[in-house]
Amino acid sequence: MTPAAYTEHDRQIWEEELEEFVPPRVFDAHIHLFNPQHMGEGTGRTWSHADLETLQSWAQRLYPGRETHFLVLGSPAPGIDVQAHNDWAIQQVSQDPQTRMNRLVTPGCNIEDIRRDVLTHGFVGLKPYRLFSVTGDVAQCRIHEFLPHEQMELANELGLWVTMHLSRHHGCADEHNLDDLADFTTRRYPNIKWILAHCARSFTYWPIRKAIDRLRDMPNIWYDLSAVTDVRPFITLFSKENTKRLFYGSDGIDSTYFHGQYVALGRAWQALDTSRFELQFPHCEGRPILAIYEQLLSMKQAAEIAELSADDIEDIIWRNATEALEIGDPMSTRSNTT
Ligand SMILES: [Zn+2]
């Protein structure tokens, strides 16, 4: 989709619900750049072309009048030329001094290539993904099966961020995942800063509700809130986690800039892109809105239920990530730049 697909129904939700909720500055800590040129022959479906200008034009449509910067994550498309994608994307990112990037890594990446890219190009972290698991089992793999220990050792040595989309059916509620995270954060890799993507991959009420009492005791854990559209995981995080550990993220473009949402069905969930179905709406005049607006609406209502302040919201949508990533803020006396 392009920003042109924005409808009057999206605009109504922005004007009547989100305009008052979204602070003047937005830091999106989970978004992707993608250039189809980096896909090999015969790799099948690819993502939409998205350079930094595309992300900014979407941001101006989604959050009118807001200043927006990003933590870009390498795009984990199977068959992608990893080095060419990273080289192109970090060059895009370097155009904005307040945007950062986590390097796409697969188990096949050479440690010295990753080290060189971090030290010379300024990647702040890593973006592994379960689809590259050495076991071939993308649904039930452990963290070290798609982020090898030697890469975690490097991340620990350099104090890198790792955006972690947990695998396994139960996500953050899985005992192996919880035991691994406890071991890595408290003993084996104490300098890695983990961002657990998608509310620790909790698209339904259940995983985060089961895992929160263990996760909140672990050091060096943050969460991005991207792509979750059910209100219940936000209620759990906003009321039981330290809200300083929460980062807004969108997972744009392809994963949330469509009309639909991530529907929770008991403990199952599924992306629902309404353009793929012949849906009728005989009982209402409203029409489906962008999934990213569904996410923001749920965040807003969960914030009301958990009695978060406007300051807490600004923390989540701007300050937490920019402070944690040590991004200098020219408008603030607390600037990290000199
Ligand atoms: Zn993503």
Side-chain angles (χ1 to χ4, degrees), residues 30-32 47 73 76 127 165 198 226 251-252 255:
H30 186 143
I31 198 161
H32 298 277
W47 304 11
L73 308 181
K127 168 61 178 175
H165 179 128
H198 315 303
S226 67
D251 207 5
S255 296

Side-chain angles (χ1 to χ4, degrees), residues 29-77:
H30 186 143
I31 198 161
H32 298 277
L33 291 167
F34 186 77
N35 185 337
Q37 286 182 350
H38 302 136
M39 297 302 292
E41 291 290 320
T43 42
R45 174 190 165 273
T46 69
W47 304 11
S48 310
H49 183 275
D51 58 15
L52 193 68
E53 194 180 340
T54 314
L55 301 192
Q56 278 296 357
S57 61
W58 259 112
Q60 283 314 307
R61 183 59 61 97
L62 294 172
Y63 329 113
R66 271 49 170 189
E67 175 188 337
T68 307
H69 304 282
F70 310 100
L71 173 61
V72 170
L73 308 181
S75 294

Side-chain angles (χ1 to χ4, degrees), residues 284-305:
C284 49
E285 60 177 14
R287 288 295 178 270
I289 59 169
L290 295 167
I292 187 59
Y293 277 6
E294 294 279 6
Q295 176 191 327
L296 282 162
L297 265 180
S298 286
M299 288 172 55
K300 177 185 172 182
Q301 297 205 0
E304 289 169 8
I305 291 166

Side-chain angles (χ1 to χ4, degrees), residues 22 38 64 86 118 123 126 134 136 143 149 181 214 226 230 244 287 311:
V22 176
H38 302 136
N86 284 321
V118 169
F123 290 93
L126 307 180
V134 294
I143 292 170
H149 284 293
L181 285 170
R214 285 191 68 186
S226 67
D230 192 284
K244 293 296 290 180
R287 288 295 178 270
D311 220 37

